Amino acid sequence: DMTLFRQAIWCQRLSAAFRPLAGTPEGRHGLSVSGLIGDELHEWVDGEAYRVLHESEGARAEPIEFLVSTAGVRGRGYGWEVWEECQAILDGRMADDETLVVIYGADAGDDWTDEAVWRKANPNLGVSLNLDFLRGEAKRAADNPRLENRFRNYFLNQWTEQTTRWLPMATWDNAP
């Protein structure tokens, strides 16, 4: 019932192909997408590829989309646009009955070194993410400010002001 190809999986019973799409929107027009999984939106420069694929769902009775990402740099890229839209849906500034927003992440005021905060941002901690690994990454980030934002983006789902931090903010805040 399933045929595996180099670039796709074909399901005869559904008369459907499952294939990864990456890169630019060019060459994507004319598709008729039933399901879309967009991953790591924080890395997407813009939303053009998404818009082409989303618009191709118009001929489908019940299309479904999953857009997922860890956080990135505040104000940069398509992921930030989606984040802002999700926040508007959550706080009632935007009505959207078709979108379910689910966010696992540390709040802005949370202590990023606190293991309880890690659990809040990683509900599957200890299953798909090893706690000892995360402890090691947190220690490295505490000892090296250049790694702090990576830890906060990828493990706590916090949007940061820059990609790399060279000076701990507490040091900056306490400077004379």
Side-chain angles (χ1 to χ4, degrees):
D1 200 52
M2 295 279 200
T3 305
L4 302 177
F5 294 101
R6 186 171 186 200
Q7 299 283 330
I9 300 171
W10 172 255
C11 180
Q12 181 65 41
R13 185 173 55 83
L14 298 175
S15 188
F18 302 86
R19 65 177 158 254
L21 301 175
T24 64
E26 288 76 28
R28 307 295 185 231
H29 292 274
L31 296 175
S32 185
V33 173
S34 295
L36 167 64
I37 301 171
D39 193 19
E40 296 303 352
L41 299 183
H42 75 276
E43 293 183 354
W44 295 22
V45 175
D46 60 39
E48 288 306 308
Y50 167 75
R51 281 186 268 289
V52 168
L53 295 173
H54 172 75
E55 290 164 358
S56 80
E57 297 171 347
R60 298 299 183 168
E62 297 180 346
I64 189 166
E65 298 177 357
F66 294 94
L67 302 179
V68 297
S69 188
T70 52
V73 177
R74 182 181 304 278
R76 187 184 302 168
Y78 184 61
W80 179 254
E81 289 178 39
V82 173
W83 172 261
E84 293 265 273
E85 185 177 307
C86 289
Q87 293 301 308
I89 292 168
L90 287 173
D91 68 21
R93 291 179 287 126
M94 175 188 248
D96 186 341
D97 295 336
E98 295 182 354
T99 301
L100 171 65
V101 177
V102 178
I103 298 173
Y104 294 106
D107 292 323
D110 286 346
D111 176 2
W112 69 272
T113 64
D114 183 351
E115 287 191 22
V117 171
W118 304 350
R119 290 193 183 284
K120 180 171 142 181
N122 298 279
N124 215 24
L125 186 60
V127 178
S128 65
L129 180 61
N130 182 291
L131 180 57
D132 288 334
F133 170 81
L134 196 55
R135 284 178 178 144
E137 293 300 298
K139 181 176 180 349
R140 278 186 276 292
D143 293 341
N144 181 347
R146 298 175 72 73
L147 300 176
E148 181 182 334
N149 282 348
R150 280 189 74 78
F151 185 87
R152 294 173 77 137
N153 293 151
Y154 299 126
F155 299 115
L156 299 183
N157 203 25
Q158 287 184 317
W159 292 87
T160 56
E161 298 297 328
Q162 65 278 337
T163 305
T164 304
R165 176 175 285 173
W166 63 273
L167 181 69
M169 292 309 293
T171 303
W172 177 264
D173 292 340
N174 294 327

